[in-house]
Amino acid sequence: MFRSRPGRHGGRTALLLAAATLMLTLSGCGMDTVTPQAARAESGDDGKAGADSRRVDCAEVKCIALTFDAGPGEDTPHLLDILKEKQVPATFFLLGRKHVDRYPEVVRRIADEGHEVANHTWSHRILTDLDESEVREELSRTQDAIERITGRKPVLMRPPQGRTDSMVSDVSRELGLAQILWSITAKDYSTTDSALIEERVLTQAHRDGIILLHDIYDGTVPAVPEIIDELQSRGYTFVTVPELLAPGAARAGAVYRPEKD
């Protein structure tokens, strides 16, 4: 799901994934995915216990999670300003090389402002093309870099292009990382049209959905305010991915993906 931005991220190979390919990748390796509803039920209390300690109960409230991949970048501070103004939490799947290591203060701000900091590998290599030691390096380098900045290792990761298999799951489990996929994508790597990005998200929006956007592309951040305003007008509450799964907790190694209604 990563494509370079002309003039700003030149020289990076364009990598696209169709939804059918993602389904084949997961089904071909015999892996099951867990929905947010199932994750909440895994707590053993039908999503009720501990509700008083949570900001929102997604078993009762119409929740949706806003997530951003492959940053931070130069537009991320403006995105954080928007999220702060609108009091909306998000989950950031951060890329290590040329991102976490280039913008440590932005990483720190993401964490300090209450957003979920997650792992999107070190250099966006396709994990299913690597051997076990290479997968471990891609994930652990980013884990360590984020921990140095925030004092905490992520517990969530998103595999590039959503490609995963049993070996990736085993390494993720070893590193304490749950795998988070998505159900709503604007394909913002393919357009700079903010209105089109907004339309694509709003058309696909559903309860317990996970929205995939990238804060490194020109059209994306300008689309965020209208996306937030319209979804809130439809009764959605924005949550982080852990809040979407609560009171269940993301299990290391497991693959989480919402089902559309």
Side-chain angles (χ1 to χ4, degrees):
M1 300 303 298
F2 185 88
R3 176 171 287 177
S4 59
R5 179 193 289 174
R8 297 177 71 175
H9 298 272
R12 188 169 290 154
T13 303
L15 299 171
L16 305 179
L17 176 68
T21 304
L22 175 61
M23 290 295 291
L24 286 172
T25 300
L26 291 172
S27 60
C29 62
M31 296 177 63
D32 294 325
T33 59
V34 183
T35 66
Q37 298 95 321
R40 293 195 291 265
E42 283 181 351
S43 67
D45 54 35
D46 296 323
K48 303 299 182 182
D52 291 342
S53 63
R54 299 197 305 278
R55 187 180 65 88
V56 62
D57 183 356
C58 292
E60 301 293 336
V61 175
K62 188 178 175 182
C63 291
I64 197 165
L66 187 57
T67 74
F68 296 92
D69 279 14
E74 58 191 72
D75 294 334
T76 307
H78 179 46
L79 172 60
L80 290 170
D81 291 341
I82 294 169
L83 297 175
K84 185 174 183 179
E85 176 187 353
K86 295 185 176 295
Q87 299 183 32
V88 164
T91 302
F92 288 82
F93 292 88
L94 303 183
L95 201 58
R97 184 170 65 89
K98 297 184 179 179
H99 293 273
V100 169
D101 60 356
R102 182 173 290 177
Y103 301 101
E105 291 302 321
V106 179
V107 175
R108 187 172 296 110
R109 181 181 170 190
I110 291 170
D112 288 347
E113 295 187 0
H115 304 290
E116 185 72 16
V117 180
N119 188 328
H120 195 44
T121 75
W122 184 255
S123 58
H124 209 270
R125 298 176 72 189
I126 305 306
L127 299 182
T128 52
D129 293 341
L130 306 180
D131 64 31
E132 183 175 322
S133 64
E134 291 172 320
V135 171
R136 186 176 293 106
E137 181 178 10
E138 278 288 310
L139 294 173
S140 63
R141 286 188 71 181
T142 306
Q143 289 288 89
D144 293 343
I146 290 173
E147 184 183 30
R148 284 194 295 270
I149 295 167
T150 68
R152 176 178 177 267
K153 286 186 178 181
V155 296
L156 307 177
M157 80 89 158
R158 178 168 283 158
Q161 294 190 355
R163 292 178 182 259
T164 187
D165 58 20
S166 58
M167 183 268 289
V168 173
S169 292
D170 288 343
V171 176
S172 298
R173 186 177 302 109
E174 172 193 324
L175 297 175
L177 289 164
Q179 302 174 78
I180 308 298
L181 304 184
W182 60 91
S183 58
I184 302 161
T185 176
K187 298 183 179 179
D188 52 351
Y189 48 77
S190 65
T191 182
T192 59
D193 186 338
S194 298
L196 179 58
I197 292 169
E198 177 190 347
E199 177 187 351
R200 287 172 173 174
V201 170
L202 297 179
T203 298
Q204 298 173 65
H206 63 96
R207 183 171 185 168
D208 290 325
I210 297 178
I211 302 169
L212 167 61
L213 293 171
H214 301 77
D215 47 328
I216 59 170
Y217 299 128
D218 289 334
T220 301
V221 172
V224 170
E226 292 298 326
I227 289 171
I228 291 172
D229 290 348
E230 177 59 26
L231 289 178
Q232 287 181 330
S233 76
R234 296 182 187 182
Y236 285 97
T237 296
F238 287 93
V239 294
T240 64
V241 170
E243 288 176 325
L244 188 65
L245 307 182
R251 289 183 283 108
V255 179
Y256 292 83
R257 181 178 59 195
E259 291 181 356
K260 296 182 180 180
D261 297 335

